[in-house]
Structures are given as structure tokens and as C-alpha cells.
Amino acid sequence: MTIWVSAPAKTNLVLSVGPPRADGYHDLATVFHALDLRDRVGVRSGSVGSGVQIQVVGIDADSVPTDGSNLVAKAAHLLAAEFGLDPDVEIHIDKAIPIAGGLAGGSADAAATLVALDSLWHLGLSREQLEEFGARLGSDVPFSLHGGTMLGLGRGEHLTPILTTGDWHWVIAVSAGGLSTPTVYRELDRLRGTDAVAPPSIADGVLQALRSQDVSALGAGLVNDLQPAAIRLMPSLAQVLVEGDDAGAIAGVVSGSGPTVVFLARDREHAIDLAVILSASGLMRRVHAVSGGAPGAVIEAPGSGPNP
Ligand code: C5P
């Protein structure tokens, strides 16, 4: 039997980045927001001694590693080692989240794998334990488990729910090519040079906007400290932001370390209209209208197959 778990893409409505830490990470104050663009991961027992076997289908499947470097393999080895099990498992990944886009697709797959293996291996892990294993795999994995809209502190792994009402509507504009997260952080440090860097913080206006469903105020509050670095590494992103503005988006911001840009829309119809205009520009590789505050990693109904 295969156990299927889906997990969402994420963006950061605020990404405030502090100075580099001694361990190479940066302290963040971020507002994570899960988008209803979901990867699906199916796990089933492999034959004895077969190890972790990975198959990938869907968006960007050819560029996803199927060896031990894939975060899903690391997730399987982590749990197997912790509980003294043989990691003989087949993992099927059905990708809808573009890779290397600043949408945490790899973290979504790792989160889904943790939830699926917890079920397959009858580990009975608590949410807190899953999050603790997730944080060992990557800074965004705990949020991929949770979903919704959350404040992230530390390197992003310390989470607190944020009160929001209703859904938010977005257009995801995916540029050709990817950006490596460490490279973008390094570029930010380089651009900042020897200037003193303030501790990361979140303006109250954004939290109020989320509480009161004030689309204009949220648009005014979208901010990403990594954006100048991502634009420096991929100058065409500046043009993508202008295209979204011209098309009538409330606001746009680079998602995480980029190069995906997310545009805020008034409502679902507005998001679909924007997506049509942006698709026609031909500047982006993919364009999706999606809603946010999506659930985190969840087990799918038994018998559900891969994405249609
Ligand atoms: O935690 P994760 O493996 O996803 O992070 C990838 C890279 O992104 C890190 O190696 C680091 O270079 C950078 N990063 C950072 N500060 C964070 C999160 C990530 O510098 N808070």
C-alpha cells in the first residue's frame, strides 16, 4: 500500500534578514504563508536491503536528484537511524512546485516524507517531534509541516501562528532558471558590506493587515530583504516586478530567495485576470493563480493516486 501525503509551496510575506551568524545562517523575522500549489509524495515499503529508491514525475522532474542528496532520502535516513529501522522504502514524488524557485518545494517534499513515513512505520510521532526532525533537515521544513500563515524566528524554524481571516489570492510568476539559496544570502551579505545590520523585525502593519483582511495594507507591507540580492543575480526579475505592476497587481515581491515573484490580487477573479495578462507577456516560465493560507502536510485519502 502506498501512503500519499501532499504539502504546500510557501512564500514569505515579510523576510527580514539579520547579520550572518557564527554557524553560517542568518537570524530571520519572517511571515511564512503557504500556497495551494502542492507536491505529493507517496511512500511504500521496498524489498529488504533495497535502501531508499526515489522516482520523480511532474514539473521539473528531470532536474530533481534521485540519489541520497534529495531531502526526502535524508528524511528517510534520519527517521530510520533514529528508530533503528532499515530505510527500505520507495518514495514517489509528484511535483507541482517548481524547483529552486524560492517556494520551498524541497522542504515540502521532506515534510510530506516525514508525515508519510511516520504513518508507514507506525512511529506515532507528535507534531513537535515531526517539527524537530524537520528543522534538522532544513530551515523551512517545520513550516511546510504546519502551513497556514506563521511568524518564523531563529533561522525560520521557531514558529508562532498568526491570526488571519479568510483566504488571500496570489499570482506566482516563475522565471526561467533557478537561484541557489546560499548564493543569494551570500550576495546580500556582499551588498551590505561592512554596514551595521539591524536585528530582523516585522512591522505591526502587516500583522494588522492579516488580521483585518486589508489587501491594500498587506500589499504595502510586503518586503523581502533578499530581493535586491536576487535581482542583482537575476536582473530580469526587476522587469517581472514592473510587468505585474503594469498588469494591476496590488503589489509584488520576490518569493524567498527567488527567482519566483508573487503578486497580490484583490480576489480570485483578479488573480486569474492577472495570471492571463502575465502569461501573455511571455517573460515567465510558468504563471499560476493560487490562494494562500493553505494547509501544511496532510495525508491524502486512501487510494488517491498522483496528480492528474
Ligand atoms: O536550512 P536550509 O538548508 O534550507 O538553508 C539553506 C541555506 O540558506 C543555508 O546553508 C544558508 O546558506 C542559507 N540560510 C541562511 N539563513 C537562514 C536560512 C538559510 O543563511 N535563516
Side-chain angles (χ1 to χ4, degrees):
M1 190 191 66
T2 302
I3 295 168
W4 285 96
V5 175
S6 73
K10 71 90 195 142
T11 190
N12 304 77
L13 307 183
V14 176
L15 182 47
S16 174
V17 181
R21 312 192 311 200
D23 64 1
Y25 284 91
H26 296 70
D27 271 327
L28 307 179
T30 186
V31 176
F32 285 118
H33 186 65
L35 302 170
D36 68 349
L37 183 68
R38 306 181 74 83
D39 278 1
R40 300 175 78 253
V41 173
V43 301
R44 69 169 180 218
S45 300
S47 48
V48 174
S50 62
V52 178
Q53 307 213 18
I54 300 174
Q55 288 165 9
V56 189
V57 298
I59 305 299
D60 297 337
D62 292 348
S63 307
V64 177
T66 54
D67 60 12
S69 68
N70 192 309
L71 221 44
V72 306
K74 293 183 180 169
H77 286 296
L78 178 66
L79 286 186
E82 188 76 20
F83 293 96
L85 302 167
D86 289 323
D88 298 331
V89 64
E90 292 176 22
I91 304 180
H92 303 263
I93 308 173
D94 184 10
K95 291 213 62 74
I97 307 172
I99 67 159
L103 295 167
S107 302
D109 299 345
T113 302
L114 290 175
V115 171
L117 290 179
D118 174 50
S119 176
L120 184 75
W121 291 340
H122 305 291
L123 302 178
L125 296 174
S126 66
R127 267 279 139 186
E128 290 72 28
Q129 286 172 305
L130 285 167
E131 279 178 38
E132 202 260 309
F133 285 119
R136 281 154 70 177
L137 294 166
S139 307
D140 294 336
V141 180
F143 177 72
S144 303
L145 287 161
H146 251 286
T149 304
M150 299 194 88
L151 178 66
L153 299 176
R155 58 186 171 89
E157 83 279 33
H158 297 308
L159 298 171
T160 315
I162 291 177
L163 200 60
T164 71
T165 46
D167 286 341
W168 297 87
H169 297 276
W170 304 90
V171 173
I172 302 178
V174 185
S175 292
L179 285 174
S180 129
T181 303
T183 307
V184 178
Y185 274 99
R186 264 200 306 276
E187 180 65 10
L188 173 69
D189 292 338
R190 198 187 66 77
L191 289 175
R192 284 172 162 177
T194 52
D195 294 350
V197 178
S201 65
I202 308 242
D204 278 349
V206 173
L207 303 178
Q208 265 163 28
L210 286 164
R211 267 200 303 276
S212 58
Q213 189 78 15
D214 184 336
V215 180
S216 307
L218 182 62
L222 296 179
V223 57
N224 180 357
D225 284 352
L226 292 178
Q227 180 164 306
I231 292 176
R232 192 67 172 236
L233 294 166
M234 196 182 276
S236 59
L237 289 180
Q239 184 57 30
V240 173
L241 286 160
V242 169
E243 297 270 343
D245 195 38
D246 288 351
I250 304 283
V253 69
V254 169
S255 181
S257 55
T260 300
V261 174
V262 292
F263 293 105
L264 179 59
R266 271 189 311 278
D267 50 32
R268 174 144 182 81
E269 287 66 38
H270 185 209
I272 292 168
D273 290 348
L274 282 174
V276 170
I277 298 170
L278 289 171
S279 300
S281 80
L283 200 62
M284 297 128 217
R285 187 159 68 91
R286 315 187 71 83
V287 178
H288 302 273
V290 299
S291 61
V298 285
I299 296 185
E300 307 257 303
S304 62
N307 279 332

